[in-house]
Amino acid sequence: MTNMKTILLAVVLIGTTMSKDLVRAPAAVTPDNCDCQCDGTTYLDQHDTVQGNCQSADTSGRKWCYISPDQKTKEACKDGFDYDSRYNLFKSYAACSSPDPSSD
Protein backbone atom coordinates (compact mmCIF):
# COMPACT_ATOMS: atom_id res chain seq x y z
CA MET A 1 0.00 0.00 0.00
CA THR A 2 2.88 2.37 0.77
CA ASN A 3 4.39 1.77 -2.68
CA MET A 4 1.05 2.60 -4.28
CA LYS A 5 0.84 5.90 -2.35
CA THR A 6 4.40 6.75 -3.32
CA ILE A 7 3.71 6.05 -6.99
CA LEU A 8 0.49 8.05 -6.91
CA LEU A 9 2.26 10.98 -5.24
CA ALA A 10 5.05 10.87 -7.84
CA VAL A 11 2.55 10.87 -10.72
CA VAL A 12 0.70 13.84 -9.22
CA LEU A 13 3.93 15.80 -8.68
CA ILE A 14 5.20 15.08 -12.18
CA GLY A 15 1.85 16.02 -13.71
CA THR A 16 1.73 19.26 -11.74
CA THR A 17 5.29 20.19 -12.71
CA MET A 18 4.73 19.41 -16.38
CA SER A 19 1.47 21.35 -16.60
CA LYS A 20 3.31 24.56 -15.70
CA ASP A 21 5.53 24.20 -18.78
CA LEU A 22 2.74 23.69 -21.29
CA VAL A 23 2.39 26.37 -23.93
CA ARG A 24 -0.96 26.62 -25.60
CA ALA A 25 -1.12 27.17 -29.32
CA PRO A 26 -2.76 30.41 -30.40
CA ALA A 27 -6.24 30.23 -31.85
CA ALA A 28 -6.37 29.54 -35.54
CA VAL A 29 -6.48 32.59 -37.76
CA THR A 30 -9.22 32.34 -40.35
CA PRO A 31 -10.50 34.80 -42.94
CA ASP A 32 -13.67 35.14 -40.86
CA ASN A 33 -12.06 36.27 -37.65
CA CYS A 34 -9.61 38.52 -39.51
CA ASP A 35 -12.60 40.30 -41.04
CA CYS A 36 -13.89 41.10 -37.54
CA GLN A 37 -11.95 44.28 -36.85
CA CYS A 38 -12.51 47.34 -34.67
CA ASP A 39 -13.29 50.57 -36.45
CA GLY A 40 -11.09 52.65 -34.12
CA THR A 41 -13.80 55.15 -33.19
CA THR A 42 -13.68 56.34 -29.57
CA TYR A 43 -15.26 59.04 -27.44
CA LEU A 44 -14.82 60.47 -23.94
CA ASP A 45 -17.72 59.79 -21.60
CA GLN A 46 -18.96 62.12 -18.85
CA HIS A 47 -16.13 60.87 -16.57
CA ASP A 48 -13.44 61.55 -19.22
CA THR A 49 -12.98 57.80 -19.74
CA VAL A 50 -12.19 56.69 -23.27
CA GLN A 51 -15.00 54.49 -24.58
CA GLY A 52 -14.61 52.23 -27.59
CA ASN A 53 -11.65 50.60 -29.34
CA CYS A 54 -11.28 48.07 -26.47
CA GLN A 55 -10.13 50.84 -24.10
CA SER A 56 -12.70 50.22 -21.35
CA ALA A 57 -15.35 47.73 -20.31
CA ASP A 58 -19.12 48.18 -20.32
CA THR A 59 -21.47 47.24 -17.46
CA SER A 60 -21.00 43.53 -18.30
CA GLY A 61 -17.28 43.89 -17.60
CA ARG A 62 -16.31 43.13 -21.21
CA LYS A 63 -14.27 45.39 -23.47
CA TRP A 64 -15.89 46.41 -26.73
CA CYS A 65 -15.28 48.45 -29.85
CA TYR A 66 -17.23 49.86 -32.76
CA ILE A 67 -17.37 47.83 -35.96
CA SER A 68 -18.38 48.77 -39.46
CA PRO A 69 -22.05 48.13 -40.28
CA ASP A 70 -21.15 46.40 -43.56
CA GLN A 71 -22.40 42.83 -43.99
CA LYS A 72 -18.91 41.26 -44.22
CA THR A 73 -17.83 42.67 -40.85
CA LYS A 74 -21.12 41.92 -39.10
CA GLU A 75 -21.03 38.30 -40.32
CA ALA A 76 -17.38 37.87 -39.28
CA CYS A 77 -17.93 39.29 -35.78
CA LYS A 78 -21.24 37.47 -35.20
CA ASP A 79 -21.98 39.60 -32.13
CA GLY A 80 -22.79 43.08 -33.41
CA PHE A 81 -25.03 44.87 -30.91
CA ASP A 82 -26.22 48.35 -29.84
CA TYR A 83 -26.26 50.23 -33.11
CA ASP A 84 -25.02 53.76 -32.41
CA SER A 85 -26.65 56.25 -34.76
CA ARG A 86 -24.16 58.99 -33.79
CA TYR A 87 -21.42 57.10 -35.62
CA ASN A 88 -23.47 54.75 -37.83
CA LEU A 89 -21.64 51.81 -36.22
CA PHE A 90 -22.41 48.67 -34.22
CA LYS A 91 -20.51 47.50 -31.13
CA SER A 92 -18.70 44.17 -30.78
CA TYR A 93 -16.87 42.24 -28.07
CA ALA A 94 -15.42 39.72 -30.54
CA ALA A 95 -13.51 42.35 -32.49
CA CYS A 96 -11.44 43.12 -29.38
CA SER A 97 -9.97 39.62 -29.49
CA SER A 98 -9.71 39.03 -33.23
CA PRO A 99 -6.25 38.73 -34.77
CA ASP A 100 -4.66 41.47 -36.80
CA PRO A 101 -5.46 40.90 -40.48
CA SER A 102 -1.76 41.05 -41.32
CA SER A 103 -0.87 38.32 -38.80
CA ASP A 104 0.28 34.89 -39.91
Side-chain angles (χ1 to χ4, degrees):
M1 187 68 170
T2 303
N3 284 342
M4 185 64 129
K5 287 181 181 178
T6 303
I7 292 171
L8 181 61
L9 179 61
V11 168
V12 169
L13 289 174
I14 291 170
T16 303
T17 303
M18 289 177 65
S19 68
K20 292 177 185 173
D21 297 330
L22 292 178
V23 176
R24 295 184 183 266
V29 176
T30 66
D32 277 351
N33 58 20
C34 279
D35 288 337
C36 179
Q37 297 294 314
C38 294
D39 172 83
T41 301
T42 60
Y43 69 91
L44 287 177
D45 67 11
Q46 67 272 21
H47 305 289
D48 288 331
T49 301
V50 176
Q51 296 291 328
N53 209 26
C54 312
Q55 297 296 308
S56 59
D58 63 12
T59 57
S60 73
R62 299 172 68 189
K63 291 186 177 185
W64 60 274
C65 66
Y66 287 109
I67 59 170
S68 171
D70 68 83
Q71 197 63 30
K72 183 178 180 181
T73 303
K74 288 191 326 186
E75 286 177 3
C77 291
K78 298 181 179 77
D79 74 337
F81 66 97
D82 280 355
Y83 178 79
D84 191 326
S85 60
R86 295 174 296 179
Y87 307 112
N88 193 32
L89 299 169
F90 286 93
K91 296 178 182 178
S92 171
Y93 300 120
C96 287
S97 61
S98 66
D100 186 302
S102 62
S103 64
D104 294 334

